[in-house]
Amino acid sequence: MFYTLKEKHPIPFFLSACRRLEGKGKKENDSIERIGKMADSAYLSKIAGPVVEATSIRGSQINELVRVGSDQLMGEIVALKEDRATIQVYEDTSGLRPGEKVERTEQPLSVELGPGLLSGIFDGIQRPLDRIKEMAGDYIPRGIDVPALNRKKKWTFKASVKKGDSVKAGDVLGTVKEFDFEHRILVPYGFEGAVSDVRDGEFTVTQSIASVGKKDVTMMQKWGVRTPRKSKEKLRIDRPLITGKRIVDTFFPIAKGGVAAIPGPFGSGKTVTQQDLAKYADADLIVYVGCGERGNEMTDVLFEFPKLLDPKNKKPLMNRTVLIANTSNMPVAAREASIYTGITIAEYYRDMGYDVALMADSTSRWAEAMREISGRMEEMPGEEGYPAYLAKRLAEFYERAGRVRCLGTKDRFGSVSVIGAVSPPGGDISEPVSQSTLRVTKVFWALDADLSRRRHYPAIHWLKSYSLYLDDLEKWYLENVASDFYQIRGQCMALLQKEAELQNIVQLIGPDALPDKERLVLEVTKMIREDFLQQNSFEEIDVYSSLKKQHLMLKTILKFYDKAEQALKMDVTLDRVLLAKERQVIAGLKRLKDEETVKAANGAMKSLETSFGKGEKK
Ligand code: ADP
């Protein structure tokens, strides 16, 4: 539905009122200007779905938060032209009428940061869904205003500074225990000076816990979501975010502070992969943004996440997770807000010196929202109707990932790693969202519908995926895992590529036409695929492999290959080579615990070395 002031209200009531007030001969624009001044608030002149236009708004800025209509819906100014503001509204706009009031807040769209975020489930504009449910039931009433952080709950604050200490932004003032997590309360940005008052005790998030440079500090801070939080320095990428997923850690690693894209056609294992990453990645905290996915998928997340246990301590995973849930039946504009809310919360924990992993599922839905809003704003469309600034927006979001030296006197390091799911229609990644995402992300885990149909999980395709962090991480892997890690990885990758070439030939002339040497390659790559790359998320041991185990598994497979090749040269038949008992051991390694893997793998390698192929003749 598209209303304009002209169509629906040829002489809007406030204009006619204005004319009466101002006398004859005044121009229409002039009148609007005056009524604006009188009422000091603007009025709705046009409503187009989630995009509305307000007239006679003055002194405001792009990205200012406004309250729209009598229900006080949350909106954000996205364009300004003279006294007309275009506003994207984060709540359902049906029923709004031209002439309703628009109030300025003189603040950007902001999030509340402080104790109480962990284990929280928020919507795109950081309203706590559980507390809304308590207040209003299953449906979110429009314009409901519930603060993100509970104002009544008291937290035990333990000061780490004392009166007289000199502090600056980013220094740790004290800590609060939230579950098992040490929530560090930092001197907010813009504060500096001597601590004139600080005490241990029980405080709510809005009570003063200290006084710095004569200004009161509370545990809660507010931060505009579109402004990246400050840090001293962005650091070079140099260590992996270990996930325990063999194909990820060994073949396509993501770095701490890195960015990865994961395109997920339906049923390809996107949800399982992301839950595994949330559970097992060596991040201290997880921020999960469910951005406009189909309602039932988000419901799955909302039901599933609270049930998941942290494998490290068997306590609820939610104790170190913040969920932002924004389903497709929520207004489209809120999708964008949810992405920015999520990344700002992630940066907040990064600033405390933690490693945070943010998962956004799915950035395609956000891009679709941008397309819709841009269309409503009658902007010039770019490729496939997406706005021309699509790539820039996506890049700005992913650029907020990184490993940083945090603000503050003492050195502290933190990181935000971002894993963005993309859902290209029909799995075709030539479309603009996938392409713009690929340009800014450095890791691409290509979930493949064909592999998932064959129940090869995780369905990340080894020939279609890549990681551009390999060079940055090489030193770390060689020093911390094994000096031949990259060599083994390279050898296996080369074999997998060779397999693809051989498969083409096999399709034409059948496997029997290949010489034994090449049939052996196919057998070995089958071992790499089935015994290494396939990893069952529902098996307790298999779901997570340490890097040492990953290395040993591949090393044993390559040992078999080496010895089998030698045996073939000594005229042993391939069929006999394939009967080797060591192959059984290799196939079983994934189900063994670390210590058992070492024993079994070393045993297999030893017997391959000493006895394999001996005495066998064609
Ligand atoms: P998507 O979210 O992409 O629609 P899911 O993550 O729900 O797909 O995966 C679909 C199904 O595939 C799961 O229910 C599960 O049976 C299977 N699956 C996916 N990944 C794995 C895995 N790593 N290990 C075992 N099964 C898996």
Side-chain angles (χ1 to χ4, degrees), residues 218 316 396 416 422 489 526 576 601:
T218 59
E396 276 169 5
V416 174
V422 196
R489 178 199 175 277
K526 188 165 170 238
R576 290 218 70 103

Side-chain angles (χ1 to χ4, degrees), residues 148-180:
L149 297 183
N150 191 328
R151 298 290 195 269
K152 292 197 184 118
K153 188 172 163 80
K154 292 209 165 179
W155 299 91
T156 311
F157 173 76
K158 209 165 166 310
S160 348
V161 291
K162 50 187 187 324
K163 222 168 144 179
D165 282 356
S166 183
V167 294
K168 60 180 187 186
D171 284 344
V172 180
L173 273 180
T175 55
V176 165
K177 196 142 169 102
E178 219 183 329
F179 306 106
D180 289 333

Side-chain angles (χ1 to χ4, degrees), residues 63-67 74-76 104-109:
N63 296 341
E64 181 177 339
L65 187 71
V66 286
R67 293 289 187 168
M74 280 249 251
E76 186 185 8
R104 291 185 52 201
T105 65
E106 298 183 22
Q107 281 180 5
L109 179 67

Side-chain angles (χ1 to χ4, degrees), residues 98 134 187 228 358 506 539 590 600 613:
E134 270 167 35
V187 177
L358 178 135
V506 167
E539 276 190 29
K590 54 162 88 170

Side-chain angles (χ1 to χ4, degrees), residues 238-443:
D238 65 354
R239 63 201 65 194
L241 179 78
I242 301 163
T243 65
K245 285 254 161 289
R246 294 188 287 265
I247 185 156
V248 170
D249 294 343
T250 297
F251 287 101
F252 311 108
I254 175 174
K256 284 217 170 90
V259 282
I262 176 164
F266 181 73
S268 58
K270 194 162 42 94
T271 314
V272 175
T273 308
Q274 281 191 325
Q275 287 192 0
D276 281 353
L277 289 179
K279 278 199 268 186
Y280 293 99
D282 65 335
D284 301 305
L285 288 124
I286 305 294
V287 178
Y288 190 99
V289 183
C291 174
E293 268 307 330
R294 282 178 295 274
N296 53 348
E297 282 192 15
M298 201 59 227
T299 323
D300 276 354
V301 173
L302 291 183
F303 278 108
E304 282 301 313
F305 253 84
K307 282 193 242 153
L308 299 179
L309 290 183
D310 190 339
K312 290 177 203 148
N313 55 14
K314 304 286 176 224
K315 291 186 181 166
L317 187 66
M318 283 300 285
N319 292 1
R320 56 182 184 95
T321 303
V322 182
L323 264 186
I324 307 200
N326 202 25
T327 58
S328 54
N329 53 4
M330 287 182 180
V332 289
R335 296 184 197 169
E336 172 149 308
S338 66
I339 291 275
Y340 283 96
T341 298
I343 192 90
T344 311
I345 291 176
E347 285 174 342
Y348 172 64
Y349 287 112
R350 172 204 72 186
D351 291 348
M352 294 178 206
Y354 291 113
D355 292 315
V356 187
L358 178 135
M359 277 143 220
D361 183 13
S362 130
T363 54
S364 298
R365 299 280 117 75
W366 166 34
E368 282 159 18
M370 270 192 249
R371 175 164 65 183
E372 183 170 341
I373 301 272
S374 161
R376 303 270 190 180
M377 286 168 66
E378 293 163 19
E379 290 173 339
M380 179 84 89
E383 219 182 320
E384 289 190 22
Y386 287 103
Y389 47 79
L390 169 76
K392 186 168 163 266
R393 284 278 173 86
L394 286 171
E396 276 169 5
F397 162 64
Y398 284 106
E399 273 162 16
R400 288 176 72 170
R403 207 172 151 260
V404 302
R405 187 190 300 275
C406 309
L407 286 184
T409 318
K410 279 197 202 133
D411 260 353
R412 218 174 39 233
F413 303 95
S415 68
V416 174
S417 314
V418 176
I419 297 153
V422 196
S423 355
D428 171 15
I429 60 159
S430 64
E431 53 90 41
V433 184
S434 302
Q435 285 303 311
S436 309
T437 309
L438 288 188
R439 242 170 270 143
V440 283
T441 53
K442 301 225 168 156
V443 180

